[in-house]
Amino acid sequence: MSMRVHIWAWLLVGWLTSVATAQNIFLQRNRDPQDVFLLAPRPLLRLLREGEQAIQEQRYADGIAALGVLLSDAATELPEDLRGQDFFSEPGRRGLFNKTIRGEAIELLANLPAAGRKVLEIEFGISAREELNAAVERQDFAAVS
């Protein structure tokens, strides 16, 4: 008689385990992607949109300044926990997350027209060249990149 109880107990445990596993798989597959990926906080999105709009309006110095804050690891304009961090900006086509705040900022700066590149060179050219030369002398390849 105790053998039957053990068998029924094992069957019941096995059945409950399979039901719980099936529910877990269902929940994982149907989870909202925004619950999984860290989306950008408002201050970062605001800076990105301000920079993008300023560049479109040909206010290159303002746009470069806003994007520079996003790309700087020591930007005092941002809360300390957001400095140097990167987040997904928003879902793209078909709900895929493939754009980040820093990636979009770099793309905007890379696609500046000639007048914008001139402003960028005036603002950051000398310090960027000095940092590059120092990194090459130290053979710090991470800093060079």
Side-chain angles (χ1 to χ4, degrees):
M1 184 121 145
S2 79
M3 183 65 126
R4 281 189 192 170
V5 171
H6 287 319
I7 291 173
W8 280 109
W10 279 110
L11 288 173
L12 181 63
V13 167
W15 178 75
L16 289 174
T17 303
S18 66
V19 169
T21 302
Q23 288 179 0
N24 190 28
I25 291 170
F26 175 80
L27 289 173
Q28 286 179 353
R29 288 186 181 161
N30 294 308
R31 182 178 291 162
D32 184 11
Q34 293 184 1
D35 293 342
V36 178
F37 296 108
L38 292 176
L39 296 180
R42 269 184 207 266
L44 299 181
L45 281 172
R46 182 183 49 79
L47 280 169
L48 180 65
R49 298 303 167 228
E50 283 178 9
E52 185 177 24
Q53 184 175 1
I55 289 171
Q56 288 173 352
E57 295 172 355
Q58 298 180 354
R59 295 182 294 116
Y60 299 118
D62 295 337
I64 290 168
L67 297 176
V69 169
L70 288 175
L71 296 173
S72 173
D73 292 340
T76 58
E77 296 88 344
L78 292 174
E80 192 171 330
D81 61 332
L82 296 180
R83 295 178 194 161
Q85 299 294 320
D86 198 6
F87 296 88
F88 287 104
S89 55
E90 56 193 34
R93 294 186 318 207
R94 297 181 296 179
L96 299 176
F97 289 87
N98 57 358
K99 289 188 175 188
T100 65
I101 292 291
R102 291 184 107 171
E104 287 190 54
I106 290 169
E107 185 178 332
L108 285 168
L109 291 174
N111 294 325
L112 282 173
R117 287 183 185 270
K118 187 175 276 190
V119 172
L120 184 64
E121 174 67 26
I122 290 169
E123 187 140 351
F124 294 105
I126 293 172
S127 61
R129 210 170 289 111
E130 288 174 353
E131 287 182 34
L132 176 64
N133 291 337
V136 168
E137 285 178 19
R138 291 190 317 265
Q139 294 182 351
D140 183 358
F141 299 111
V144 169
S145 68

PDB file of all heavy atoms in Angstrom, residues 74-89:
ATOM      1  N   ALA A  74      31.869  61.793 -18.098  1.00  0.00           N
ATOM      2  CA  ALA A  74      31.988  62.674 -16.940  1.00  0.00           C
ATOM      3  C   ALA A  74      31.060  63.879 -17.046  1.00  0.00           C
ATOM      4  O   ALA A  74      31.343  64.925 -16.491  1.00  0.00           O
ATOM      5  CB  ALA A  74      33.428  63.135 -16.801  1.00  0.00           C
ATOM      6  N   ALA A  75      29.959  63.746 -17.766  1.00  0.00           N
ATOM      7  CA  ALA A  75      29.043  64.866 -17.956  1.00  0.00           C
ATOM      8  C   ALA A  75      28.342  65.200 -16.654  1.00  0.00           C
ATOM      9  O   ALA A  75      27.584  64.392 -16.122  1.00  0.00           O
ATOM     10  CB  ALA A  75      28.020  64.532 -19.035  1.00  0.00           C
ATOM     11  N   THR A  76      28.590  66.388 -16.145  1.00  0.00           N
ATOM     12  CA  THR A  76      27.982  66.784 -14.877  1.00  0.00           C
ATOM     13  C   THR A  76      26.526  67.194 -15.046  1.00  0.00           C
ATOM     14  O   THR A  76      25.828  67.374 -14.056  1.00  0.00           O
ATOM     15  CB  THR A  76      28.773  67.941 -14.247  1.00  0.00           C
ATOM     16  OG1 THR A  76      28.810  69.032 -15.173  1.00  0.00           O
ATOM     17  CG2 THR A  76      30.182  67.506 -13.901  1.00  0.00           C
ATOM     18  N   GLU A  77      26.064  67.335 -16.285  1.00  0.00           N
ATOM     19  CA  GLU A  77      24.682  67.717 -16.535  1.00  0.00           C
ATOM     20  C   GLU A  77      23.710  66.570 -16.276  1.00  0.00           C
ATOM     21  O   GLU A  77      22.515  66.784 -16.174  1.00  0.00           O
ATOM     22  CB  GLU A  77      24.495  68.193 -17.989  1.00  0.00           C
ATOM     23  CG  GLU A  77      25.257  69.451 -18.341  1.00  0.00           C
ATOM     24  CD  GLU A  77      26.670  69.153 -18.823  1.00  0.00           C
ATOM     25  OE1 GLU A  77      27.167  68.021 -18.611  1.00  0.00           O
ATOM     26  OE2 GLU A  77      27.286  70.051 -19.399  1.00  0.00           O
ATOM     27  N   LEU A  78      24.228  65.365 -16.204  1.00  0.00           N
ATOM     28  CA  LEU A  78      23.387  64.182 -15.993  1.00  0.00           C
ATOM     29  C   LEU A  78      23.520  63.679 -14.561  1.00  0.00           C
ATOM     30  O   LEU A  78      24.552  63.862 -13.929  1.00  0.00           O
ATOM     31  CB  LEU A  78      23.814  63.062 -16.947  1.00  0.00           C
ATOM     32  CG  LEU A  78      23.562  63.280 -18.425  1.00  0.00           C
ATOM     33  CD1 LEU A  78      24.178  62.145 -19.228  1.00  0.00           C
ATOM     34  CD2 LEU A  78      22.077  63.368 -18.701  1.00  0.00           C
ATOM     35  N   PRO A  79      22.489  63.006 -14.056  1.00  0.00           N
ATOM     36  CA  PRO A  79      22.625  62.363 -12.748  1.00  0.00           C
ATOM     37  C   PRO A  79      23.780  61.358 -12.777  1.00  0.00           C
ATOM     38  O   PRO A  79      24.074  60.760 -13.817  1.00  0.00           O
ATOM     39  CB  PRO A  79      21.283  61.645 -12.555  1.00  0.00           C
ATOM     40  CG  PRO A  79      20.339  62.307 -13.489  1.00  0.00           C
ATOM     41  CD  PRO A  79      21.152  62.830 -14.629  1.00  0.00           C
ATOM     42  N   GLU A  80      24.413  61.174 -11.658  1.00  0.00           N
ATOM     43  CA  GLU A  80      25.617  60.341 -11.601  1.00  0.00           C
ATOM     44  C   GLU A  80      25.383  58.911 -12.092  1.00  0.00           C
ATOM     45  O   GLU A  80      26.240  58.324 -12.734  1.00  0.00           O
ATOM     46  CB  GLU A  80      26.156  60.316 -10.174  1.00  0.00           C
ATOM     47  CG  GLU A  80      27.535  59.723 -10.071  1.00  0.00           C
ATOM     48  CD  GLU A  80      28.131  59.905  -8.692  1.00  0.00           C
ATOM     49  OE1 GLU A  80      27.810  60.896  -8.027  1.00  0.00           O
ATOM     50  OE2 GLU A  80      28.916  59.033  -8.298  1.00  0.00           O
ATOM     51  N   ASP A  81      24.206  58.344 -11.817  1.00  0.00           N
ATOM     52  CA  ASP A  81      23.951  56.966 -12.218  1.00  0.00           C
ATOM     53  C   ASP A  81      23.722  56.816 -13.723  1.00  0.00           C
ATOM     54  O   ASP A  81      23.722  55.701 -14.236  1.00  0.00           O
ATOM     55  CB  ASP A  81      22.771  56.382 -11.449  1.00  0.00           C
ATOM     56  CG  ASP A  81      21.483  57.138 -11.685  1.00  0.00           C
ATOM     57  OD1 ASP A  81      21.545  58.344 -11.968  1.00  0.00           O
ATOM     58  OD2 ASP A  81      20.407  56.517 -11.576  1.00  0.00           O
ATOM     59  N   LEU A  82      23.546  57.906 -14.461  1.00  0.00           N
ATOM     60  CA  LEU A  82      23.342  57.833 -15.908  1.00  0.00           C
ATOM     61  C   LEU A  82      24.599  58.165 -16.707  1.00  0.00           C
ATOM     62  O   LEU A  82      24.650  57.915 -17.909  1.00  0.00           O
ATOM     63  CB  LEU A  82      22.221  58.790 -16.338  1.00  0.00           C
ATOM     64  CG  LEU A  82      20.832  58.493 -15.799  1.00  0.00           C
ATOM     65  CD1 LEU A  82      19.847  59.523 -16.320  1.00  0.00           C
ATOM     66  CD2 LEU A  82      20.387  57.097 -16.180  1.00  0.00           C
ATOM     67  N   ARG A  83      25.613  58.709 -16.063  1.00  0.00           N
ATOM     68  CA  ARG A  83      26.827  59.112 -16.771  1.00  0.00           C
ATOM     69  C   ARG A  83      27.541  57.910 -17.372  1.00  0.00           C
ATOM     70  O   ARG A  83      27.808  56.930 -16.706  1.00  0.00           O
ATOM     71  CB  ARG A  83      27.776  59.839 -15.830  1.00  0.00           C
ATOM     72  CG  ARG A  83      27.227  61.139 -15.342  1.00  0.00           C
ATOM     73  CD  ARG A  83      28.166  61.810 -14.378  1.00  0.00           C
ATOM     74  NE  ARG A  83      27.454  62.870 -13.689  1.00  0.00           N
ATOM     75  CZ  ARG A  83      27.854  63.407 -12.559  1.00  0.00           C
ATOM     76  NH1 ARG A  83      28.957  63.009 -11.996  1.00  0.00           N
ATOM     77  NH2 ARG A  83      27.137  64.352 -12.000  1.00  0.00           N
ATOM     78  N   GLY A  84      27.821  58.006 -18.656  1.00  0.00           N
ATOM     79  CA  GLY A  84      28.560  56.949 -19.332  1.00  0.00           C
ATOM     80  C   GLY A  84      27.747  55.703 -19.631  1.00  0.00           C
ATOM     81  O   GLY A  84      28.290  54.729 -20.149  1.00  0.00           O
ATOM     82  N   GLN A  85      26.477  55.699 -19.318  1.00  0.00           N
ATOM     83  CA  GLN A  85      25.627  54.533 -19.554  1.00  0.00           C
ATOM     84  C   GLN A  85      25.005  54.605 -20.942  1.00  0.00           C
ATOM     85  O   GLN A  85      24.833  55.673 -21.505  1.00  0.00           O
ATOM     86  CB  GLN A  85      24.516  54.464 -18.507  1.00  0.00           C
ATOM     87  CG  GLN A  85      25.013  54.328 -17.096  1.00  0.00           C
ATOM     88  CD  GLN A  85      25.719  53.007 -16.856  1.00  0.00           C
ATOM     89  OE1 GLN A  85      25.287  51.968 -17.335  1.00  0.00           O
ATOM     90  NE2 GLN A  85      26.812  53.047 -16.121  1.00  0.00           N
ATOM     91  N   ASP A  86      24.653  53.455 -21.464  1.00  0.00           N
ATOM     92  CA  ASP A  86      23.970  53.391 -22.752  1.00  0.00           C
ATOM     93  C   ASP A  86      22.695  52.571 -22.572  1.00  0.00           C
ATOM     94  O   ASP A  86      22.674  51.601 -21.822  1.00  0.00           O
ATOM     95  CB  ASP A  86      24.868  52.738 -23.801  1.00  0.00           C
ATOM     96  CG  ASP A  86      24.421  53.032 -25.211  1.00  0.00           C
ATOM     97  OD1 ASP A  86      23.484  53.839 -25.391  1.00  0.00           O
ATOM     98  OD2 ASP A  86      25.003  52.470 -26.154  1.00  0.00           O
ATOM     99  N   PHE A  87      21.661  52.992 -23.260  1.00  0.00           N
ATOM    100  CA  PHE A  87      20.364  52.328 -23.156  1.00  0.00           C
ATOM    101  C   PHE A  87      19.779  52.197 -24.552  1.00  0.00           C
ATOM    102  O   PHE A  87      20.130  52.952 -25.456  1.00  0.00           O
ATOM    103  CB  PHE A  87      19.391  53.170 -22.305  1.00  0.00           C
ATOM    104  CG  PHE A  87      19.815  53.340 -20.885  1.00  0.00           C
ATOM    105  CD1 PHE A  87      20.639  54.389 -20.513  1.00  0.00           C
ATOM    106  CD2 PHE A  87      19.381  52.466 -19.912  1.00  0.00           C
ATOM    107  CE1 PHE A  87      21.026  54.563 -19.196  1.00  0.00           C
ATOM    108  CE2 PHE A  87      19.765  52.628 -18.591  1.00  0.00           C
ATOM    109  CZ  PHE A  87      20.591  53.683 -18.237  1.00  0.00           C
ATOM    110  N   PHE A  88      18.862  51.257 -24.705  1.00  0.00           N
ATOM    111  CA  PHE A  88      18.118  51.178 -25.955  1.00  0.00           C
ATOM    112  C   PHE A  88      17.205  52.385 -26.044  1.00  0.00           C
ATOM    113  O   PHE A  88      16.616  52.809 -25.050  1.00  0.00           O
ATOM    114  CB  PHE A  88      17.311  49.888 -26.033  1.00  0.00           C
ATOM    115  CG  PHE A  88      18.158  48.673 -26.262  1.00  0.00           C
ATOM    116  CD1 PHE A  88      18.432  47.812 -25.222  1.00  0.00           C
ATOM    117  CD2 PHE A  88      18.678  48.408 -27.511  1.00  0.00           C
ATOM    118  CE1 PHE A  88      19.229  46.704 -25.422  1.00  0.00           C
ATOM    119  CE2 PHE A  88      19.467  47.298 -27.723  1.00  0.00           C
ATOM    120  CZ  PHE A  88      19.748  46.441 -26.683  1.00  0.00           C
ATOM    121  N   SER A  89      17.085  52.947 -27.254  1.00  0.00           N
ATOM    122  CA  SER A  89      16.287  54.161 -27.386  1.00  0.00           C
ATOM    123  C   SER A  89      14.811  53.842 -27.565  1.00  0.00           C
ATOM    124  O   SER A  89      13.972  54.332 -26.838  1.00  0.00           O
ATOM    125  CB  SER A  89      16.797  55.036 -28.519  1.00  0.00           C
ATOM    126  OG  SER A  89      16.848  54.311 -29.721  1.00  0.00           O
TER     127      SER A  89
END
